[in-house]
Amino acid sequence: MLIISLILEQLFVWYRLQKHIEYPGFVYLLFPLWGIYCYFRCKKSSGELAPVYKALFWFGSITSLFLLLAAFTASNTMLYESADYMAIGMLVSLCYAERETLESPVFWKSFVLLFVGLAVIHKGFLLYNIYGHDTIFVTRQKAEEGPMAGIYGRYSDGYEYNIRGRLLDEFIPRGSKVLIASHKSIMYLQEDYVICNYSTISTPTIDERLFQYWTLYPDKVPEYIVWDKGSEGYIATNPEVNARLVENAELLVDDEGLLIYRLPANPY
């Protein structure tokens, strides 16, 4: 009943709340919960368990919980992302699954069918789109080239990705030194560009440290700057820094929310 409840709750989260594929990480809890159930079931039916089974159970359970807690509290990941660290509990549970297979084949087969069904829905009911997640029922657009070539997503995101890719290919030569002011830093992979930022984290900061970075590494001074107007609410910016970045630049493109600038030699 616990497993069935988890599956129903996961489906509710996906379908009604329109959350991520991973949210809230129930898939990673299924096997550890299965292991806990089998541990106490074996202990009850077989009396005293062998020391190796006890050691495996406590090692797997404590390690999984510790990793989950550590990832959630010591990093910027959310709970549904940190749930991935419960995977070690899945390995431990296999020891008990093997015993349960011999003692209750019908129950074990039922669990396998439920788990496989959930895995199929996990990959099929919701899918990654270009910049997020959606159900399979929305109108989709395929990414035509670049790092996401062949991936389907929401039509608006796919259209934006494709047209922006063409703009980058047209106006920025391959191998150029590029600074991209956007939370969609995957644009760096559109061509073989030299990244001119000290960090490519998904929420980059555009501040005076860029100029310090370029002083230390003059070979990283950009030749082109790509400014994503749609990212201004996602990245930390400073108006004075923004103005200084492009004060000597030539505006090549203002299209699809992208501003593409070409910088002269030694602009700073």
Side-chain angles (χ1 to χ4, degrees):
M1 289 301 297
L2 178 61
I3 294 172
I4 295 174
S5 299
L6 278 175
I7 292 174
L8 292 176
E9 188 170 3
Q10 181 76 84
L11 292 174
F12 174 79
V13 167
W14 289 342
Y15 183 69
R16 297 296 300 176
L17 302 184
Q18 300 290 296
K19 292 292 186 179
H20 306 169
I21 292 178
E22 302 92 344
Y23 187 93
F26 287 146
V27 171
Y28 297 97
L29 299 177
L30 281 177
F31 266 119
L33 289 173
W34 170 256
I36 292 173
Y37 167 80
C38 290
Y39 172 82
F40 287 105
R41 190 175 189 279
C42 292
K43 189 174 182 180
K44 182 178 180 181
S45 61
S46 306
E48 192 67 18
L49 284 173
V52 65
Y53 279 89
K54 286 185 177 180
L56 280 172
F57 173 76
W58 291 113
F59 170 78
S61 301
I62 293 173
T63 304
S64 294
L65 292 174
F66 176 78
L67 288 173
L68 175 65
L69 181 63
F72 182 61
T73 58
S75 71
N76 64 346
T77 58
M78 302 296 288
L79 182 59
Y80 67 85
E81 296 166 325
S82 303
D84 298 9
Y85 292 92
M86 292 289 290
I88 191 171
M90 296 173 64
L91 300 177
V92 174
S93 68
L94 294 178
C95 295
Y96 301 99
E98 185 271 336
R99 291 182 56 148
E100 191 66 22
T101 304
L102 299 176
E103 297 181 8
S104 300
V106 175
F107 185 80
W108 168 244
K109 290 177 182 178
S110 300
F111 172 77
V112 170
L113 291 174
L114 288 172
F115 186 80
V116 170
L118 180 60
V120 171
I121 296 173
H122 181 271
K123 294 297 183 183
F125 184 74
L126 290 185
L127 70 157
Y128 284 96
N129 61 31
I130 301 304
Y131 297 129
H133 308 265
D134 258 317
T135 69
I136 61 175
F137 304 109
V138 299
T139 302
R140 292 173 289 165
Q141 172 68 38
K142 184 172 75 170
E144 297 174 354
E145 55 188 15
M148 289 186 171
I151 296 178
Y152 284 86
R154 286 178 297 187
Y155 181 82
S156 57
D157 290 336
Y159 172 81
E160 177 189 87
Y161 174 84
N162 289 329
I163 196 68
R164 285 185 169 194
R166 295 192 193 102
L167 291 173
L168 293 173
D169 293 342
E170 180 179 354
F171 290 95
I172 303 181
R174 183 175 302 177
S176 298
K177 301 176 183 179
V178 181
L179 170 69
I180 296 180
S182 173
H183 70 294
K184 299 173 182 176
S185 53
I186 196 170
M187 284 192 287
Y188 277 120
L189 303 178
Q190 194 68 34
E191 286 291 354
D192 186 17
Y193 297 139
V194 177
I195 299 174
C196 296
N197 198 343
Y198 55 82
S199 173
T200 57
I201 194 170
S202 58
T203 52
T205 299
I206 306 299
D207 57 18
E208 65 279 351
R209 288 179 295 177
L210 280 171
F211 303 108
Q212 299 173 11
Y213 174 70
W214 295 330
T215 300
L216 295 173
Y217 302 96
D219 59 316
K220 293 291 186 176
V221 175
E223 299 171 309
Y224 294 86
I225 293 178
V226 178
W227 194 274
D228 183 357
K229 291 190 287 186
S231 291
E232 293 175 354
Y234 295 90
I235 59 178
T237 60
N238 182 303
E240 296 181 1
V241 173
N242 301 349
R244 183 182 173 189
L245 282 173
V246 299
E247 61 182 351
N248 298 313
E250 174 189 2
L251 180 61
L252 300 178
V253 175
D254 182 357
D255 193 10
E256 293 297 327
L258 283 189
L259 301 173
I260 299 180
Y261 296 91
R262 179 168 55 200
L263 297 172
N266 303 317
Y268 308 116

